[in-house]
Structures are given as structure tokens and as C-alpha cells.
Amino acid sequence: MNELQRLLASLDGDVFDLSRPYVIGMPQSPNHPRYWHSLPRRHGDMVRADGGSAANDLIVMGTHVGTHIDALAHVSHDGVLHGGRDAAAAQVGGRFEESGVHTVAPFIGRGVLLDIPAARGVDALPAGEEVTAADVADAEALLPAPIRQGDGVLIRTGWGANWEAGDAYLGKESGVPGPGPEAAGLLASKRPAFIGSDSIAFEHLPPGGGHAVLPVHRILLVEHGINIVETLALEELAAAGHREFLLVLVPLPLVGATGSPVRPLAIVPRP
């Protein structure tokens, strides 16, 4: 039985939802349109002859709100997207035909959790702390097997525990722990299918710096063509001690969009 067959055999195992719930006022990057939900039709607005009625919804949001994946079209550097594509030319017509999120295939495969606090022997990283290449190597050593090409790699900093704190989760003044360029380079060299974390941006954000510069996005999206998943809920999975699992992640087929909400599921076999 190969690795994928073994993981598929765990489909009847415990399921961990790694996504955040969408609610008005949820923490999100100030760079994107806020999430809003309303009921344009409510029960009783229209009642059918047999007494039946229906309600429906209107949702407005940016594609980089909540748990989401970044398409390669999301970031350019010096006017260039991944693969040397001219960013200005690629967005003519209002959509990215070649690097939009519709080109990101559904993922069903091996997922691994790099638990950085566990590797350091702490509960969580402090605000504004950089995840280094050494941290990545130490956390990888805790896995049952090393990272393999095509894996889905998830990084826990412990910052996700601050989700309920609202805007404090953004860390505008405190900073946010996350990988620096050195760690990003090491991760990229392993050629994962995508990389994600539990913070608002897959970056080391120093105190007071906000989103002024995002070098890790450049390294992963532009230079290496590796998609990024942000705002993951990893605390429950980590607390259960799982570092390897079957991971399912499916973006919406939003043609030409720079990102999409996702609901990643980690499935682990029961004892």
C-alpha cells in the first residue's frame, strides 16, 4: 500500500475543519472588501398559495477574506507575475485568464503540520516573531516523514488562538509571527502544492509594520509559483497531536479571480 492509498484508507477517520466561520465584523486584512451578509428576502415577504415561503441571502466580500487561497495572479513584482507574465497585460478585460484561481486544482493528498511552537517547546510564538529556516527544519523533524514534493504544508505559529480577539488578531501594533524570507526559501525548495498558516498574512509582520512589504508573498507566488493559504484554524488539530493527515482543499472556480475562499479538511484515522 503506497502513501496515498494509506491516507485514503483514513477517510472514515476524524475530520478537523481548518476554516474560520464567516461573520460580519470578523478579523480581516484592511486591504480587501469586508465581508457582509444580508437577507434581501425574508420568510413572509412572499407566501405561496400553499403557505410555503423562502428566504435568501446576499453576500459581499473580497476573495482574500477569511480562510482563503491566493492565486498566482494575486501578487506581482516590478510589474511581472509568476512565469514572467506582464501583470498589466494579464489583467486586461478585468480577469486573469492564465493565473486566476480557477487554474488551482482541487487538492486531495498528504498534508503536514509544521508546529513551530511545539518545536520550540512553547505554547505559541510571541507577537512579531520571525519563523526562521531553522524553525522549519526543527518542526519538520517532528513529522513522521519529511515533507515531500506535492504535499500541502501548514504552519502553526499559535497566533490563531487570538482569532476571537478581533482586530488584535491583525497585529497592526504588536506585529504577527510568521515566516521570513529565509524560511520561505527553504519551504519553496521542497516544492509543496501550497503552503498555509494561521495568521492574517503568510508573513513575518514586525510591530507597527503592517502590510508595508510582503517579501514571502513575492518569493512563493511570483518566484516559485506556490499558492498561499491564510487564516487557517490549526489549534484543534495541533492539540490533538496530529502532524500528518489526508488534506482536502478545494477553491471555488472563480474564473480570473486572484483568490478564493476555501474550507480545508484534515482527516486522520481513528485508533
Side-chain angles (χ1 to χ4, degrees), residues 118-139:
R120 288 196 185 186
V122 298
D123 293 331
L125 299 186
E129 183 81 356
E130 180 175 349
V131 173
T132 67
D135 287 324
V136 170
D138 289 345

PDB file of all heavy atoms in Angstrom, residues 118-139:
ATOM      1  N   ALA A 118       5.633  23.958  19.073  1.00  0.00           N
ATOM      2  CA  ALA A 118       5.984  22.649  19.642  1.00  0.00           C
ATOM      3  C   ALA A 118       7.466  22.368  19.464  1.00  0.00           C
ATOM      4  O   ALA A 118       8.121  21.829  20.365  1.00  0.00           O
ATOM      5  CB  ALA A 118       5.148  21.555  18.975  1.00  0.00           C
ATOM      6  N   ALA A 119       8.015  22.737  18.312  1.00  0.00           N
ATOM      7  CA  ALA A 119       9.448  22.529  18.073  1.00  0.00           C
ATOM      8  C   ALA A 119      10.296  23.379  19.005  1.00  0.00           C
ATOM      9  O   ALA A 119      11.417  22.997  19.371  1.00  0.00           O
ATOM     10  CB  ALA A 119       9.782  22.826  16.618  1.00  0.00           C
ATOM     11  N   ARG A 120       9.767  24.544  19.399  1.00  0.00           N
ATOM     12  CA  ARG A 120      10.498  25.425  20.316  1.00  0.00           C
ATOM     13  C   ARG A 120      10.207  25.113  21.778  1.00  0.00           C
ATOM     14  O   ARG A 120      10.857  25.662  22.677  1.00  0.00           O
ATOM     15  CB  ARG A 120      10.134  26.883  20.059  1.00  0.00           C
ATOM     16  CG  ARG A 120      10.688  27.470  18.775  1.00  0.00           C
ATOM     17  CD  ARG A 120      10.599  28.982  18.834  1.00  0.00           C
ATOM     18  NE  ARG A 120      10.984  29.651  17.617  1.00  0.00           N
ATOM     19  CZ  ARG A 120      11.093  30.971  17.498  1.00  0.00           C
ATOM     20  NH1 ARG A 120      10.829  31.748  18.553  1.00  0.00           N
ATOM     21  NH2 ARG A 120      11.431  31.522  16.354  1.00  0.00           N
ATOM     22  N   GLY A 121       9.213  24.261  22.040  1.00  0.00           N
ATOM     23  CA  GLY A 121       8.849  23.934  23.414  1.00  0.00           C
ATOM     24  C   GLY A 121       8.032  24.998  24.105  1.00  0.00           C
ATOM     25  O   GLY A 121       8.099  25.147  25.323  1.00  0.00           O
ATOM     26  N   VAL A 122       7.223  25.751  23.321  1.00  0.00           N
ATOM     27  CA  VAL A 122       6.359  26.792  23.879  1.00  0.00           C
ATOM     28  C   VAL A 122       4.942  26.586  23.356  1.00  0.00           C
ATOM     29  O   VAL A 122       4.714  25.799  22.424  1.00  0.00           O
ATOM     30  CB  VAL A 122       6.857  28.217  23.503  1.00  0.00           C
ATOM     31  CG1 VAL A 122       8.247  28.456  24.077  1.00  0.00           C
ATOM     32  CG2 VAL A 122       6.868  28.399  21.989  1.00  0.00           C
ATOM     33  N   ASP A 123       3.972  27.296  23.943  1.00  0.00           N
ATOM     34  CA  ASP A 123       2.581  27.169  23.518  1.00  0.00           C
ATOM     35  C   ASP A 123       2.307  27.931  22.223  1.00  0.00           C
ATOM     36  O   ASP A 123       1.504  27.495  21.393  1.00  0.00           O
ATOM     37  CB  ASP A 123       1.632  27.674  24.612  1.00  0.00           C
ATOM     38  CG  ASP A 123       1.657  26.798  25.849  1.00  0.00           C
ATOM     39  OD1 ASP A 123       1.927  25.585  25.704  1.00  0.00           O
ATOM     40  OD2 ASP A 123       1.416  27.316  26.954  1.00  0.00           O
ATOM     41  N   ALA A 124       2.935  29.088  22.077  1.00  0.00           N
ATOM     42  CA  ALA A 124       2.709  29.929  20.905  1.00  0.00           C
ATOM     43  C   ALA A 124       3.892  30.872  20.740  1.00  0.00           C
ATOM     44  O   ALA A 124       4.592  31.189  21.712  1.00  0.00           O
ATOM     45  CB  ALA A 124       1.418  30.729  21.052  1.00  0.00           C
ATOM     46  N   LEU A 125       4.106  31.319  19.521  1.00  0.00           N
ATOM     47  CA  LEU A 125       5.157  32.301  19.276  1.00  0.00           C
ATOM     48  C   LEU A 125       4.680  33.679  19.722  1.00  0.00           C
ATOM     49  O   LEU A 125       3.499  34.005  19.598  1.00  0.00           O
ATOM     50  CB  LEU A 125       5.523  32.350  17.797  1.00  0.00           C
ATOM     51  CG  LEU A 125       6.071  31.065  17.167  1.00  0.00           C
ATOM     52  CD1 LEU A 125       6.511  31.345  15.729  1.00  0.00           C
ATOM     53  CD2 LEU A 125       7.221  30.500  17.972  1.00  0.00           C
ATOM     54  N   PRO A 126       5.582  34.510  20.216  1.00  0.00           N
ATOM     55  CA  PRO A 126       5.187  35.866  20.607  1.00  0.00           C
ATOM     56  C   PRO A 126       4.881  36.720  19.387  1.00  0.00           C
ATOM     57  O   PRO A 126       5.276  36.405  18.261  1.00  0.00           O
ATOM     58  CB  PRO A 126       6.413  36.389  21.365  1.00  0.00           C
ATOM     59  CG  PRO A 126       7.554  35.581  20.847  1.00  0.00           C
ATOM     60  CD  PRO A 126       6.995  34.227  20.515  1.00  0.00           C
ATOM     61  N   ALA A 127       4.169  37.817  19.628  1.00  0.00           N
ATOM     62  CA  ALA A 127       3.819  38.743  18.550  1.00  0.00           C
ATOM     63  C   ALA A 127       5.072  39.239  17.854  1.00  0.00           C
ATOM     64  O   ALA A 127       6.086  39.537  18.494  1.00  0.00           O
ATOM     65  CB  ALA A 127       3.024  39.921  19.112  1.00  0.00           C
ATOM     66  N   GLY A 128       5.017  39.320  16.524  1.00  0.00           N
ATOM     67  CA  GLY A 128       6.121  39.875  15.764  1.00  0.00           C
ATOM     68  C   GLY A 128       7.341  38.996  15.643  1.00  0.00           C
ATOM     69  O   GLY A 128       8.384  39.446  15.167  1.00  0.00           O
ATOM     70  N   GLU A 129       7.243  37.721  16.030  1.00  0.00           N
ATOM     71  CA  GLU A 129       8.386  36.812  15.990  1.00  0.00           C
ATOM     72  C   GLU A 129       8.579  36.237  14.584  1.00  0.00           C
ATOM     73  O   GLU A 129       7.607  35.837  13.929  1.00  0.00           O
ATOM     74  CB  GLU A 129       8.169  35.668  16.975  1.00  0.00           C
ATOM     75  CG  GLU A 129       9.324  34.697  17.079  1.00  0.00           C
ATOM     76  CD  GLU A 129      10.443  35.195  17.979  1.00  0.00           C
ATOM     77  OE1 GLU A 129      10.351  36.347  18.465  1.00  0.00           O
ATOM     78  OE2 GLU A 129      11.397  34.440  18.204  1.00  0.00           O
ATOM     79  N   GLU A 130       9.813  36.173  14.123  1.00  0.00           N
ATOM     80  CA  GLU A 130      10.079  35.599  12.804  1.00  0.00           C
ATOM     81  C   GLU A 130      10.273  34.092  12.895  1.00  0.00           C
ATOM     82  O   GLU A 130      10.997  33.591  13.766  1.00  0.00           O
ATOM     83  CB  GLU A 130      11.322  36.228  12.184  1.00  0.00           C
ATOM     84  CG  GLU A 130      11.652  35.663  10.805  1.00  0.00           C
ATOM     85  CD  GLU A 130      12.818  36.351  10.125  1.00  0.00           C
ATOM     86  OE1 GLU A 130      13.256  37.409  10.626  1.00  0.00           O
ATOM     87  OE2 GLU A 130      13.287  35.840   9.091  1.00  0.00           O
ATOM     88  N   VAL A 131       9.626  33.364  12.004  1.00  0.00           N
ATOM     89  CA  VAL A 131       9.872  31.938  11.839  1.00  0.00           C
ATOM     90  C   VAL A 131      11.057  31.790  10.897  1.00  0.00           C
ATOM     91  O   VAL A 131      11.027  32.272   9.762  1.00  0.00           O
ATOM     92  CB  VAL A 131       8.634  31.227  11.263  1.00  0.00           C
ATOM     93  CG1 VAL A 131       8.951  29.767  10.934  1.00  0.00           C
ATOM     94  CG2 VAL A 131       7.466  31.306  12.247  1.00  0.00           C
ATOM     95  N   THR A 132      12.105  31.141  11.360  1.00  0.00           N
ATOM     96  CA  THR A 132      13.345  31.020  10.599  1.00  0.00           C
ATOM     97  C   THR A 132      13.422  29.684   9.861  1.00  0.00           C
ATOM     98  O   THR A 132      12.617  28.770  10.090  1.00  0.00           O
ATOM     99  CB  THR A 132      14.551  31.145  11.530  1.00  0.00           C
ATOM    100  OG1 THR A 132      14.569  29.995  12.403  1.00  0.00           O
ATOM    101  CG2 THR A 132      14.470  32.428  12.360  1.00  0.00           C
ATOM    102  N   ALA A 133      14.428  29.552   9.016  1.00  0.00           N
ATOM    103  CA  ALA A 133      14.671  28.282   8.342  1.00  0.00           C
ATOM    104  C   ALA A 133      14.988  27.188   9.360  1.00  0.00           C
ATOM    105  O   ALA A 133      14.587  26.028   9.186  1.00  0.00           O
ATOM    106  CB  ALA A 133      15.808  28.426   7.339  1.00  0.00           C
ATOM    107  N   ALA A 134      15.680  27.539  10.436  1.00  0.00           N
ATOM    108  CA  ALA A 134      15.983  26.558  11.488  1.00  0.00           C
ATOM    109  C   ALA A 134      14.703  26.082  12.162  1.00  0.00           C
ATOM    110  O   ALA A 134      14.566  24.892  12.489  1.00  0.00           O
ATOM    111  CB  ALA A 134      16.935  27.172  12.511  1.00  0.00           C
ATOM    112  N   ASP A 135      13.749  26.995  12.361  1.00  0.00           N
ATOM    113  CA  ASP A 135      12.457  26.608  12.935  1.00  0.00           C
ATOM    114  C   ASP A 135      11.749  25.608  12.032  1.00  0.00           C
ATOM    115  O   ASP A 135      11.171  24.614  12.506  1.00  0.00           O
ATOM    116  CB  ASP A 135      11.556  27.835  13.103  1.00  0.00           C
ATOM    117  CG  ASP A 135      11.987  28.751  14.233  1.00  0.00           C
ATOM    118  OD1 ASP A 135      12.455  28.246  15.265  1.00  0.00           O
ATOM    119  OD2 ASP A 135      11.840  29.974  14.078  1.00  0.00           O
ATOM    120  N   VAL A 136      11.778  25.877  10.736  1.00  0.00           N
ATOM    121  CA  VAL A 136      11.135  24.969   9.784  1.00  0.00           C
ATOM    122  C   VAL A 136      11.782  23.592   9.845  1.00  0.00           C
ATOM    123  O   VAL A 136      11.103  22.557   9.879  1.00  0.00           O
ATOM    124  CB  VAL A 136      11.213  25.542   8.351  1.00  0.00           C
ATOM    125  CG1 VAL A 136      10.772  24.506   7.323  1.00  0.00           C
ATOM    126  CG2 VAL A 136      10.359  26.800   8.238  1.00  0.00           C
ATOM    127  N   ALA A 137      13.098  23.550   9.872  1.00  0.00           N
ATOM    128  CA  ALA A 137      13.810  22.275   9.930  1.00  0.00           C
ATOM    129  C   ALA A 137      13.504  21.524  11.223  1.00  0.00           C
ATOM    130  O   ALA A 137      13.302  20.297  11.208  1.00  0.00           O
ATOM    131  CB  ALA A 137      15.310  22.518   9.794  1.00  0.00           C
ATOM    132  N   ASP A 138      13.449  22.243  12.343  1.00  0.00           N
ATOM    133  CA  ASP A 138      13.159  21.602  13.625  1.00  0.00           C
ATOM    134  C   ASP A 138      11.735  21.040  13.649  1.00  0.00           C
ATOM    135  O   ASP A 138      11.497  19.945  14.179  1.00  0.00           O
ATOM    136  CB  ASP A 138      13.335  22.608  14.764  1.00  0.00           C
ATOM    137  CG  ASP A 138      14.792  22.974  15.012  1.00  0.00           C
ATOM    138  OD1 ASP A 138      15.682  22.250  14.513  1.00  0.00           O
ATOM    139  OD2 ASP A 138      15.041  24.005  15.679  1.00  0.00           O
ATOM    140  N   ALA A 139      10.774  21.785  13.095  1.00  0.00           N
ATOM    141  CA  ALA A 139       9.390  21.316  13.065  1.00  0.00           C
ATOM    142  C   ALA A 139       9.236  20.143  12.100  1.00  0.00           C
ATOM    143  O   ALA A 139       8.474  19.205  12.363  1.00  0.00           O
ATOM    144  CB  ALA A 139       8.457  22.456  12.671  1.00  0.00           C
TER     145      ALA A 139
END
